[in-house]
Amino acid sequence: QVQAVATGGRLVQAGGSLRLSCAASGLRTSAMGWFRRAPGKDREYVAAISKRGDSTNYAAFVKGRFTISRDNSNDMMYLQMNNLEPEDTAVYYCVANPATVALQPHFASWGQGTKVPVSS
């Protein structure tokens, strides 16, 4: 399991954009994904990208607004978020093998998330 660190979160106004980054040693060797946890709520799947970046998947609520991408040459993954809404306010986490993570209710290796407050 890759230990991933998410960065780039900052306060943004509704309608604004933000790009989150994820870095991890050996990131290129795994499918990767993003999850988020809003205040007082459970973690929620956001997006995933295949190992080679040739396939992506999005939660219904983000499709059309967010874009997941990766740069395996630099062991980096990104989440471009556009048209942000206050409901997107959450701590965002990147993880390896998101399909597996999604099936593990007691998954604990979330690593360092990045906080994204979206103001109205």
Side-chain angles (χ1 to χ4, degrees):
Q1 192 77 16
V2 176
Q3 288 187 287
V5 177
T7 58
R10 62 170 176 83
L11 176 65
V12 62
Q13 291 187 93
S17 298
L18 189 65
R19 190 180 78 160
L20 305 182
S21 298
C22 176
S25 178
L27 182 148
R28 72 187 72 180
T29 68
S30 302
M32 298 294 297
W34 292 91
F35 288 74
R36 70 183 188 183
R37 185 167 68 178
K41 298 186 177 181
D42 293 332
R43 285 186 174 86
E44 180 179 39
Y45 168 74
V46 177
I49 188 166
S50 62
K51 181 180 177 180
R52 297 197 294 180
D54 54 353
S55 180
T56 58
N57 182 270
Y58 299 91
F61 71 87
V62 297
K63 188 176 181 180
R65 298 188 300 134
F66 298 176
T67 302
I68 188 170
S69 62
R70 67 192 300 159
D71 177 4
N72 283 347
S73 296
N74 293 295
D75 278 332
M76 295 290 291
M77 182 185 62
Y78 306 96
L79 183 68
Q80 177 66 47
M81 303 188 292
N82 300 321
N83 195 26
L84 284 161
E85 303 171 348
E87 292 75 19
D88 295 316
T89 295
V91 177
Y92 286 72
Y93 301 86
C94 59
V95 298
N97 303 305
T100 298
V101 171
L103 297 175
Q104 299 178 206
H106 299 108
F107 181 77
S109 300
W110 292 103
Q112 179 183 323
T114 188
K115 193 173 185 178
V116 179
V118 183
S119 66
S120 59

